[in-house]
Amino acid sequence: MPPAFVHRITKYDPADRDEHGNYRGAEDTVSDHGPVEAAYLEAISAFAQATGIDRLEIREPSVAQAHFGAQPVAEGHGLGGLFPADLTGYHDGAEVPLAVALELTRVMLREQGAWCRLETGDVFAVHVGWDQYVYVGSDRPCAEAVARTRELGLFAEPIGDSPYVAEPEVTEAADEDFWTSVRAELVARQGLLLEETPVVNATRWHRLTTENLDAVRAGLGPRALLTVWPDLRPDVGAVLTALPSEWHVEFVWETREGTIRDVIVDETEYEELAALVADARAACALSLYTDERTPLLQAALPDGDGVLRARW
């Protein structure tokens, strides 16, 4: 259950909202990278201290999606200095000190490319929304933190619940039964493609064989969502020819060096894509339509105690 007491923290004066609750004032909807942003972080800190919280868990982390030719919103998704380039430590369930949680909040306020929920069970939560809206939940009213927020020039309005409360979708655990099924598919198909997603939009790809399965399994990231697809096709030209005439598609290919890459492309970029993958060993195209995106298997990694806590 989410925390019982939730406040919406903003720089927007409630007096400047219309009858539908829409803000009609003059405040900008982006971070000032300065004193107002600092006030947000200090207000969140005040709520954390009032709740007795000095560490939070990262939940459902994500980074900006890689579209063909596009660059992340900011280099390293704004996470440089907080996590290594390979994002080690930035995963669901990772516990960070309040100071790091506040820096993650800063990244989200600046819309630099990374996003996550910051929570401590049903005791405390910080969710950053669009347009400088921040939702702080606590298991207590935090009257002093509310007053401190007002002193900082911000507004802490009580609301029923954060609109960013997690809604779990995948409930299956990648347990031994799952891996038994993977082995059976491998025997039947002589190869599979494994999509490992420890961070949304930071997928790692593995071409599975009966020989490397155990090694790949041992290196998977905590709480990753695992999606099993048919193997890449060696006839890259045929894959390119069969691309849909419109809309976006996820193109996955193995480079000459053996690295597996992926990118989102649309029909206007197929010529550039063909040049990019000219020396690819194998490839496939995956639909982005939910109804057409049907993997062979899908499950999420449980924790070491066998309990599935990831909320995919």
Side-chain angles (χ1 to χ4, degrees):
M1 295 295 292
F5 300 93
V6 180
H7 287 84
R8 181 177 69 182
I9 298 176
T10 72
K11 56 185 175 181
Y12 308 121
D13 191 333
D16 293 327
R17 295 186 182 276
D18 62 21
E19 65 273 19
H20 304 294
N22 299 314
Y23 178 69
R24 301 303 184 189
E27 288 285 352
D28 202 346
T29 58
V30 298
S31 173
D32 68 342
H33 292 223
V36 177
E37 177 185 273
Y40 271 94
L41 301 185
E42 189 171 340
I44 294 167
S45 180
F47 275 89
Q49 292 172 16
T51 312
I53 295 298
D54 61 5
R55 302 184 69 83
L56 289 93
E57 276 190 326
I58 295 171
R59 302 305 312 267
E60 294 80 43
S62 67
V63 293
Q65 190 174 52
H67 190 281
F68 188 79
Q71 297 295 323
V73 178
E75 184 178 357
H77 308 286
L79 298 175
L82 295 176
F83 301 96
D86 64 1
L87 301 184
T88 298
Y90 182 64
H91 63 80
D92 188 72
E95 192 175 87
V96 296
L98 177 60
V100 173
L102 293 175
E103 288 306 311
L104 282 169
T105 303
R106 188 194 305 275
V107 169
M108 291 184 274
L109 286 171
R110 295 183 179 185
E111 299 181 11
Q112 292 183 306
W115 189 88
C116 64
R117 296 177 178 86
L118 294 162
E119 300 179 353
T120 305
D122 58 0
V123 175
F124 191 72
V126 178
H127 300 157
V128 179
W130 294 103
D131 299 338
Q132 307 294 287
Y133 280 76
V134 176
Y135 303 87
V136 177
S138 174
D139 66 349
R140 58 200 71 180
C142 298
E144 292 183 3
V146 172
R148 178 58 182 149
T149 299
R150 190 67 190 91
E151 290 174 0
L152 291 165
L154 302 178
F155 302 91
E157 303 168 81
I159 61 174
D161 208 349
S162 164
Y164 295 92
V165 171
E167 297 181 2
E169 295 181 4
V170 173
T171 56
E172 283 204 28
D175 54 17
E176 289 306 320
D177 288 341
F178 170 81
W179 293 109
T180 297
S181 297
V182 172
R183 287 189 181 277
E185 289 286 352
L186 268 176
V187 170
R189 297 171 179 269
Q190 303 301 308
L192 293 170
L193 180 66
L194 175 65
E195 179 183 4
E196 175 200 359
T197 310
V199 174
V200 175
N201 297 325
T203 293
R204 295 193 287 258
W205 299 90
H206 312 273
R207 294 190 77 178
L208 296 180
T209 65
T210 53
E211 291 77 19
N212 74 1
L213 177 59
D214 289 339
V216 170
R217 180 180 175 184
L220 297 173
R223 299 189 182 180
L225 180 66
L226 306 180
T227 307
V228 180
W229 302 96
D231 198 8
L232 300 178
R233 296 170 55 191
D235 190 344
V236 179
V239 176
L240 288 167
T241 301
L243 290 175
S245 60
E246 61 181 16
W247 200 234
H248 298 80
V249 67
E250 183 173 18
F251 195 88
V252 185
W253 76 100
E254 184 178 36
T255 68
R256 184 173 53 185
E257 295 76 22
T259 302
I260 303 178
R261 298 176 58 189
D262 72 298
V263 69
I264 306 298
V265 296
D266 63 31
E267 71 279 4
T268 67
E269 300 158 326
Y270 288 170
E271 186 174 339
E272 295 172 87
L273 175 66
L276 177 65
V277 303
D279 61 351
R281 294 178 178 177
C284 74
L286 302 175
S287 174
L288 296 180
Y289 286 108
T290 302
D291 292 344
E292 298 176 2
R293 198 175 175 90
T294 53
L296 300 172
L297 299 164
Q298 188 175 64
L301 279 177
D303 292 343
D305 58 4
V307 177
L308 178 61
R309 296 185 177 89
R311 303 181 301 204
W312 290 99

